[in-house]
Amino acid sequence: DGQGLVKYKGFWLLQLLFRPSLSAHNNFRAKATDVILSTMPKSGTTWLKALTFSIANRNVFPIDQTPLLTSTPHMLVPFLEFDVYWEQENPNLENIPCPRIFATHMPFEILPDSIHESDCRIIYICRNPLDQFVSHRLFFLENKIEKEADPLDIDEAFNMFCQGIHPCGPFWDHMLGYWNAHLENPRKVLFIKYEDLKEDITSQVKKIAEFMGFPFSQEEEEQGLIDQISGLCSFESLSNLAVNKTGNLKGIVENSTFFRKGQVGDWTNYLTPAMVERIKKLMDSKFGNSGLTFKI
Ligand code: A3P
């Protein structure tokens, strides 16, 4: 397909993550206290990692000594399939302090069974598909993940995106899997949107903390802790830290490429009205009356 993807159970998974995803599926044992962050690539994973890490560890590290100042969010919250099961079938995850926070790009249907069966919680963040597409395109080109393959031009890539052929796609199935799970059991799956975090970070941080089982006390609120965490995890703050400007993940992805622009609506600079029309129609037909909508 030119993007290094393989089709599995109706989804297009990154080939290099396929084996580790299967290992995670077969071997990961979720604990009731675990928090699983699920996302499609380029939907706000890095941001959500920083926020949840900060919320869970706010009594462990004072905010001015948080490890986020010296480690990237990706080092602090590992991807199940990218970091944890990359090299080993059965890594020892027992000694990680609770709550353990892991991220994954796996569709809901492909998550390890123990995630479904245990009382662990899942936070899903998604982003309007136009921004997600543009963000991914630029990320992909910058990192040259498929060095040998000719990069697709934007029209070809968009065409494939609309056919569902992109990492973890089709986007509508990935989103609807978690959306329906959230509707069915909102205590198990929290569903948030990148745009909502941008619009009102304070109420979203509160909501995430409550969902994780670490609500802010009135005293903490009065001390301004929510604002401190939101500020620390903002694009401006994280993207300016030296640790996020240098180095890479597994020699494949430059840390700096996780921080590009961090805005809503950058797609207006890249996509034609015809492309936008096509996505709108696609969203109407795929999301139907599920209740899932994006402002475009
Ligand atoms: P853009 O390419 O539109 O700038 P992911 O973390 O899932 O890979 O998503 C990356 C996208 O989230 C990029 O979007 C990146 O700039 C943006 N991003 C990263 N950290 C962010 C933060 N703290 N706040 C807002 N957006 C952030």
Side-chain angles (χ1 to χ4, degrees):
D1 73 299
Q3 297 186 78
L5 303 176
V6 287
K7 197 166 190 188
Y8 180 68
K9 298 194 173 174
F11 287 93
W12 291 94
L13 305 184
L14 279 169
Q15 198 157 16
L16 85 172
L17 296 184
F18 184 58
R19 244 169 214 289
S21 294
L22 287 189
S23 295
H25 186 277
N26 295 334
N27 300 314
F28 180 65
R29 297 284 163 261
K31 295 185 181 182
T33 47
D34 289 347
V35 178
I36 310 292
L37 312 180
S38 292
T39 67
M40 293 195 81
K42 316 327 290 172
S43 298
T45 322
T46 314
W47 196 3
L48 186 61
K49 285 183 172 188
L51 288 169
T52 50
F53 178 85
S54 302
I55 290 168
N57 289 287
R58 65 186 189 268
N59 295 322
V60 182
F61 312 104
I63 207 111
D64 57 350
Q65 287 167 37
T66 169
L68 273 169
L69 298 174
T70 46
S71 299
T72 72
H74 296 290
M75 292 303 290
L76 298 172
V77 177
F79 276 104
L80 272 183
E81 62 274 40
F82 190 69
D83 302 296
V84 180
Y85 286 95
W86 182 263
E87 274 148 6
Q88 292 179 51
E89 284 274 288
N90 257 316
N92 180 6
L93 305 176
E94 283 308 305
N95 303 328
I96 301 177
C98 293
R100 305 184 304 178
I101 309 177
F102 297 104
T104 181
H105 289 322
M106 284 186 251
F108 185 74
E109 294 79 352
I110 300 178
L111 287 176
D113 295 339
S114 69
I115 292 183
H116 293 296
E117 287 155 10
S118 85
D119 284 336
C120 73
R121 294 163 215 212
I122 300 171
I123 305 179
Y124 185 72
I125 184 168
C126 67
R127 188 178 189 187
N128 96 57
L130 295 175
D131 276 335
Q132 190 207 335
F133 169 76
V134 166
S135 180
H136 183 259
R137 226 28 242 148
L138 300 172
F139 176 82
F140 182 83
L141 294 179
E142 190 132 326
N143 281 299
K144 299 189 186 64
I145 291 174
E146 273 294 285
K147 287 200 178 72
E148 272 98 76
D150 273 343
L152 304 171
D153 68 30
I154 191 159
D155 290 329
E156 290 166 325
F158 188 76
N159 198 18
M160 293 180 90
F161 186 72
C162 291
Q163 293 172 48
I165 309 170
H166 59 103
C168 303
F171 68 81
W172 54 88
D173 283 337
H174 202 284
M175 292 176 184
L176 283 172
Y178 285 96
W179 175 249
N180 290 329
H182 158 73
L183 293 181
E184 209 162 288
N185 190 353
R187 290 172 52 116
K188 175 79 178 175
V189 182
L190 177 67
F191 193 98
I192 51 184
K193 295 182 191 153
Y194 183 94
E195 293 76 24
D196 294 339
L197 287 190
K198 276 275 168 189
E199 201 174 294
D200 185 357
I201 187 72
T202 307
S203 69
Q204 296 294 324
V205 166
K206 258 171 100 162
K207 188 159 93 178
I208 294 169
E210 275 164 25
F211 179 81
M212 290 172 72
F214 297 93
F216 288 95
S217 66
Q218 194 166 351
E219 199 186 345
E220 285 179 318
E221 285 200 32
E222 282 163 11
Q223 286 165 356
L225 205 55
I226 300 180
D227 288 344
Q228 286 173 32
I229 289 177
S230 311
L232 167 75
C233 299
S234 69
F235 181 84
E236 291 66 32
S237 151
L238 291 184
S239 64
N240 280 310
L241 293 175
V243 63
N244 292 323
K245 289 183 169 177
T246 55
N248 59 59
L249 280 180
K250 297 204 183 289
I252 299 174
V253 178
E254 299 298 320
N255 290 334
S256 61
T257 59
F258 287 102
F259 303 91
R260 190 184 63 89
K261 217 167 179 181
Q263 288 176 5
V264 174
D266 193 37
W267 56 266
T268 50
N269 297 316
Y270 295 89
L271 305 181
T272 64
M275 287 167 148
V276 177
E277 214 30 58
R278 184 169 172 194
I279 281 270
K280 277 187 178 165
K281 283 206 177 111
L282 188 61
M283 283 173 22
D284 282 351
S285 83
K286 297 295 181 187
F287 295 150
N289 50 15
S290 65
L292 178 57
T293 55
F294 291 95
K295 284 185 224 148
I296 285 182

